[in-house]
Amino acid sequence: MPESAVSGIDVSVPPSGTGCAECEAAGGWWFHLRRCAQCGHIGCCDSSPSRHARAHATEAGHPVARSFEPGETWFWNFATERPVDGPDLAPPQHHPLDQPAPGPRGRVPADWRAHLH
Ligand SMILES: [Zn+2]
Ligand SMILES: [Zn+2]
């Protein structure tokens, strides 16, 4: 399947980092991570306090995201609210295995479960 067959996915772009870009900038924390399939932006999931992956999809107009969790390869389209199929993206496929979820280490409150959506 040619790469251009999948709208909103660019397999050549590496992830922006190992943690949510906005949470890292603001000193926040996340539950799980999602990767924008178009520009590589790493954001936090809908269960996380700040839901930055969804905000990025809306603001940037990049609807397709892939899980950035180890062992997860699914894609989600925030515009249609439907799962979509997609190829492996530029490595790494997930955050480092020694990075905890929720994360990052040292910034997660003890009562983190009470803050999930
Ligand atoms: Zn975030
Ligand atoms: Zn993006």
Side-chain angles (χ1 to χ4, degrees):
M1 185 172 61
E3 292 170 15
S4 59
V6 186
S7 169
I9 297 178
D10 185 340
V11 300
S12 71
V13 182
S16 64
T18 57
C20 172
E22 286 84 1
C23 284
E24 293 281 25
W29 62 275
W30 56 81
F31 184 38
H32 286 146
L33 295 171
R34 307 292 176 241
R35 169 186 183 168
C36 174
Q38 196 161 329
C39 75
H41 171 272
I42 299 297
C44 48
C45 72
D46 278 354
S47 296
S48 300
S50 301
R51 296 175 164 168
H52 286 127
R54 177 176 293 277
H56 171 79
T58 302
E59 290 163 12
H62 297 165
V64 181
R66 194 192 202 204
S67 177
F68 200 50
E69 294 300 313
E72 296 187 356
T73 59
W74 50 265
F75 288 78
W76 184 260
N77 186 321
F78 284 112
T80 62
E81 303 293 354
R82 301 281 300 172
V84 291
D85 290 326
D88 268 359
L89 305 174
Q93 304 297 326
H94 54 74
H95 68 69
L97 291 172
D98 63 356
Q99 180 175 305
R105 201 184 311 277
R107 283 215 302 269
V108 182
D111 64 342
W112 62 270
R113 282 185 179 81
H115 297 277
L116 296 183
H117 289 289

